[in-house]
Amino acid sequence: MTAPDPDRASVSTANAIAGGMFMAPVVQARKVTGGIHHHFVPHTPPATPRQLPRPAPHFTGRDTERSALDAARATGTSMMVLSGITGVGTSALAAQWLHAQTPSADAQLYADLAHMAGLRSEAVLQRWLRALGVGRAPARKADVVGLWRSLTADRDVHVLIDGAVDAEQVRPLIPSGPRSLTVITSRRLLWELAVDGALVLPVNPMSRRDAVRPLCAVAGEPQAADDASLPGAEALAEACAHLPLPLVITGARVRARPGRRPFTFPARTAGSPPCLPQEHARMAITDALTASHADLEPDAQRLYRTLGFLPARTVDADLAAAVCEMPPAVADWLLQVLHDERLLDVPGDSPEPRYRMNDAVRDHAKALDADTEQEREAALRRLCDWMLAGARHAQRLVTSAQATLLNPGPVTAGPFKDKAAALAWLDGQEEDLLPVLKAAESAGWDDLIVGMVDAWWPYFLHRHPYELWIDAHELGVAAARRTGNAAALRQMLASGAIGLSARGHITRAVQWYEEVLEAARAAGDTRDEGQALLGLGACHLESGQLDRARQRLETAMSLWEACGYPRGVGLAEITLGEVALAEANPTAAREHLASAQNRLNELGEAYEGARALALHGHARARSGETAEGIAELQLSLETITGSPRWHARALEWLGEAHRHHGDTATARTCWSEAADLHESLGRSTDAARLRALAVGQ
């Protein structure tokens, strides 16, 4: 053995890495004797949103309007309103001009309000926030508007809002930063926005010369625009009221008939009475759409008409195949045909090949008389059945263990390979859920409504769309009442009350739970009775009525123990543990929570067991066993990440435990992460409280 070196023994050494963020791998070691290899995946930042529709390939003219927009921008105007009648080309002008303004913009965002009837401003902002990298946007309007304004305060964000209805619909969507730019199109003047500093610019039909140019270009005869020997082009442009939309569609019609000499159509009869601009525009659009429909093959015509009267706002090949009873490949091809004929649009923010029919085209398609009422009803039923089948398969994949109207059983083959794919499909159908439910209500299909609302439980549980959750359950409750199905009514009330409670509507949630309780007792359904008592206990806990909460929960436990429902007993014990913690009695809380955890883990309920573990860790930390509590909280976080609300709660408790342990830096990190989660859920009060803790206030 070599003797120690006395000189070295007296030297104190340290091996530390100082600083904050390292942009490359770092090795900290006493001695390196061989090669070191680093294998890592470089970080890929989120893509910069570029959602603007592409410029129209045959855009021409509009020099006066573009000059007015340029002049307003040069003087610092950050909001432009382009107004005009249907087909006048406000959208094309807005996209063309904005593309010229935004080569270096931080983000380009787009919302097509004209094609999304009833879409709330908070829903638009939630999509935009996700595009800007916000993982979970708040649910409440005030919170999502506040976050949007905060994120855009120092950014150069360019926004195109297409098809606005009124000023109040637009104002929440305007970015707050002085460098940002907003362009709004509308059929209405929207003069109210001039109060906000907007340039309100009416857009009129094109001049005669300018109108001929896009018509000839799309028709494949651009030289005809300067050919005086073809007066038919000018006549055709006039028949289209010099409106870009019918001009382009008519040009495409001319090009599709190569056997006919271009622009030999007869001019309008001399002396014919003039029409009002609005009437002429509608007539021109209708004529062009009718001609396009007539040129389609029969299957494409049928799909076009069907999409016109269906309540679905977006369509993909699977939906089209289901409603028209054709192979998906054929449906996909026909959708492309309709898109090529300008009868369908592709939403700018759509990640998948989905199509949308605008209002003018939808009105035209709906007015066609080729289908009987029975055929239309059959197509609507196929849409509802397709949507229900997809939701049912998603339900089996995502929440098969939870009590719903769905009969338990193994997950059969279906369109989704895993839970993530199932939830993504539900995301894509979100805006169609309420229109489809309302159409089913008009058709008198109450059983289908109840089944559909129940099947969307995974979406409500994981995405927390509280307003949609409540609105859908309102329809589900009404439908269940009409059917006289007592069990279905109890299910609708109970699952709807969860959404009401989470949204803060405690009084109404209690009313729904009380109705479930009364009906369950009348039916002798012990399990539903316990479920109502559990919900009431949670509501009383939320409102601070701890004695009433304990009474309800203990009664639920007794009922479930008697009928042999151990899962319910465990769930009631968890809430009893929360009641004990609210009473500052961590010892009693630990007893309830330890029992709940053991019971639920034995049943294979990993998520529910993790909830009990998180609360148990919180109780241990409050009892002075800080290190043990931290360990249990950290372990629970590995399982409850799927629930943003419970993840946030566990992070808050973990931060509290770290603070008691003297680790303030880690505590603040936990509180900051918890605040982000609460904000994504629309719980602004909790988010503000935790942010104050995170900064040491």
Side-chain angles (χ1 to χ4, degrees):
M1 181 180 296
T2 304
D5 186 337
D7 294 331
R8 293 184 62 186
S10 62
V11 177
S12 176
T13 62
N15 186 13
I17 297 174
M21 181 180 295
F22 296 91
M23 300 307 293
V26 177
V27 175
Q28 184 177 9
R30 181 170 178 265
K31 184 177 182 182
V32 178
T33 59
I36 297 175
H37 302 275
H38 296 288
H39 302 278
F40 63 97
V41 178
H43 171 67
T44 302
T48 301
R50 292 287 184 260
Q51 298 181 355
L52 295 182
R54 71 184 185 93
H58 303 292
F59 186 89
T60 186
R62 299 301 188 194
D63 294 335
T64 300
E65 291 86 352
R66 286 191 282 182
S67 295
L69 292 170
D70 289 338
R73 184 59 175 163
T75 60
T77 302
S78 61
M79 190 192 321
M80 325 291 186
V81 180
L82 307 180
S83 63
I85 60 176
T86 299
V88 79
T90 54
S91 300
L93 171 60
Q96 189 81 17
W97 185 77
L98 265 178
H99 272 290
Q101 310 298 315
T102 58
S104 60
D106 295 336
Q108 298 172 347
L109 301 172
Y110 176 70
D112 191 352
L113 303 183
H115 301 159
M116 295 182 284
L119 187 67
R120 293 182 291 266
S121 57
E122 57 265 37
V124 175
L125 292 179
Q126 287 164 352
R127 294 182 182 184
W128 285 354
L129 289 172
R130 287 196 291 268
L132 293 174
V134 177
R136 295 184 179 89
R140 293 178 56 191
K141 181 176 180 179
D143 298 326
V144 75
V145 171
L147 180 57
W148 163 250
R149 290 172 178 168
S150 298
L151 286 180
T152 57
D154 298 315
R155 297 191 184 191
D156 182 10
V157 178
H158 292 193
V159 170
L160 173 54
I161 303 171
D162 225 348
V165 175
D166 55 49
E168 293 308 313
Q169 184 188 35
V170 168
R171 286 191 172 106
L173 306 179
I174 300 172
S176 63
R179 296 186 296 149
S180 293
L181 177 61
T182 304
V183 178
I184 302 150
T185 71
S186 177
R187 299 178 189 176
R188 301 177 180 177
L189 191 60
L190 297 191
W191 58 267
E192 302 96 324
L193 291 175
V195 178
D196 302 297
L199 166 69
V200 180
L201 181 65
V203 179
N204 299 313
M206 302 178 77
S207 68
R208 176 176 298 182
R209 175 52 53 191
D210 285 342
V212 170
R213 294 189 181 280
L215 173 65
C216 295
V218 176
E221 299 284 340
Q223 72 282 356
D226 299 315
D227 189 347
S229 66
L230 293 175
E234 288 191 0
L236 200 55
E238 185 171 347
C240 293
H242 298 167
L243 294 169
L245 176 60
L247 285 168
V248 170
I249 294 176
T250 304
R253 178 193 177 193
V254 170
R255 187 168 190 166
R257 296 181 177 180
R260 173 178 289 175
R261 185 185 176 197
F263 309 121
T264 57
F265 298 92
R268 185 165 61 92
T269 303
S272 59
C275 300
L276 293 174
Q278 295 88 340
E279 295 174 351
H280 200 173
R282 176 59 66 182
M283 180 182 65
I285 293 172
T286 300
D287 289 345
L289 291 174
T290 300
S292 295
H293 172 261
D295 287 340
L296 296 172
E297 60 181 285
D299 283 343
Q301 289 182 341
R302 182 163 66 97
L303 177 59
Y304 173 73
R305 296 193 306 269
T306 302
L307 297 181
F309 62 76
L310 287 179
R313 293 296 172 182
T314 59
V315 58
D316 58 14
D318 289 336
L319 187 155
V323 298
C324 288
E325 298 181 300
M326 61 180 60
V330 175
D332 183 54
W333 168 250
L334 293 177
L335 288 171
Q336 293 181 51
V337 169
L338 295 180
H339 177 252
D340 291 343
E341 291 293 327
R342 301 292 184 93
L343 301 174
L344 292 179
D345 301 322
V346 177
D349 58 350
S350 176
E352 301 293 337
R354 299 181 68 85
Y355 300 86
R356 190 184 301 276
M357 182 177 277
N358 69 45
D359 288 343
V361 177
R362 181 180 294 276
D363 290 344
H364 174 267
K366 190 174 182 179
L368 296 172
D369 296 328
D371 303 292
T372 66
E373 286 299 319
Q374 292 78 9
E375 288 172 332
R376 292 190 173 197
E377 182 176 298
L380 174 60
R381 183 69 195 209
R382 288 192 292 270
L383 168 64
C384 293
D385 289 341
W386 172 83
M387 194 168 177
L388 177 59
R392 282 297 193 203
H393 188 249
Q395 186 181 34
R396 287 190 184 277
L397 279 173
V398 182
T399 57
S400 59
Q402 304 227 357
T404 67
L405 297 174
L406 179 66
N407 294 326
V411 178
T412 57
F416 318 121
K417 62 180 180 180
D418 53 29
K419 293 181 179 180
L423 285 171
W425 182 86
L426 292 171
D427 285 335
Q429 310 304 320
E430 176 192 6
E431 70 173 293
D432 289 337
L433 177 59
L434 277 181
V436 168
L437 289 174
K438 291 177 180 178
E441 183 178 48
S442 297
W445 300 332
D446 290 328
D447 287 332
L448 187 145
I449 295 171
V450 172
M452 187 83 78
V453 175
D454 181 67
W456 274 71
W457 175 249
Y459 189 78
F460 301 142
L461 187 65
H462 287 78
R463 297 295 192 246
H464 308 285
Y466 293 126
E467 296 303 325
L468 177 62
W469 186 337
I470 294 168
D471 290 344
H473 278 82
E474 292 275 10
L475 293 172
V477 167
R481 292 192 196 281
R482 289 191 294 268
T483 64
N485 187 330
L489 177 58
R490 295 197 299 271
Q491 178 65 27
M492 289 293 98
L493 289 167
S495 56
I498 296 173
L500 288 168
S501 177
R503 193 67 175 86
H505 303 316
I506 302 299
T507 301
R508 194 148 181 239
V510 168
Q511 292 173 350
W512 282 26
Y513 279 130
E514 291 283 8
E515 184 174 349
V516 175
L517 180 61
E518 181 179 350
R521 285 173 173 169
D525 190 326
T526 304
R527 182 161 166 171
D528 276 6
E529 183 179 353
Q531 188 67 45
L533 289 167
L534 175 62
L536 287 168
C539 287
H540 295 325
L541 170 62
E542 187 76 17
S543 59
Q545 302 176 68
L546 302 183
D547 289 337
R548 295 190 68 187
R550 187 187 307 102
Q551 178 186 1
R552 298 287 197 179
L553 294 166
E554 288 175 348
T555 304
M557 282 183 61
S558 299
L559 289 171
W560 280 335
E561 285 173 344
C563 74
Y565 182 42
R567 182 178 186 272
V569 175
L571 296 178
E573 285 184 301
I574 290 177
T575 312
L576 278 171
E578 292 190 78
V579 172
L581 282 170
E583 294 173 329
N585 189 349
T587 301
R590 288 174 60 175
E591 292 178 1
H592 287 300
L593 295 166
S595 175
Q597 183 192 359
N598 291 334
R599 190 187 307 272
L600 292 166
N601 285 341
E602 288 176 359
L603 295 171
E605 295 280 353
Y607 168 75
E608 302 297 354
R611 286 205 304 132
L613 179 62
L615 281 160
H616 190 269
H618 178 43
R620 291 190 76 172
R622 282 195 171 186
S623 300
E625 299 177 9
T626 309
E628 294 82 357
I630 289 173
E632 290 187 353
L633 284 162
Q634 289 174 333
L635 182 60
S636 72
L637 282 169
E638 297 176 6
T639 304
I640 62 176
T641 52
S643 170
R645 184 164 181 253
W646 271 91
H647 194 185
R649 297 184 74 187
L651 281 170
E652 178 179 353
W653 300 331
L654 184 59
E656 181 182 319
H658 277 299
R659 181 179 61 181
H660 291 161
H661 207 52
D663 189 351
T664 305
T666 302
R668 290 179 175 177
T669 299
C670 292
W671 290 328
S672 180
E673 293 178 9
D676 291 341
L677 289 168
H678 277 302
E679 194 152 12
S680 73
L681 295 172
R683 303 174 70 91
S684 56
T685 302
D686 288 325
R689 173 177 55 81
L690 288 167
R691 292 203 192 285
L693 286 173
V695 298
Q697 295 180 353

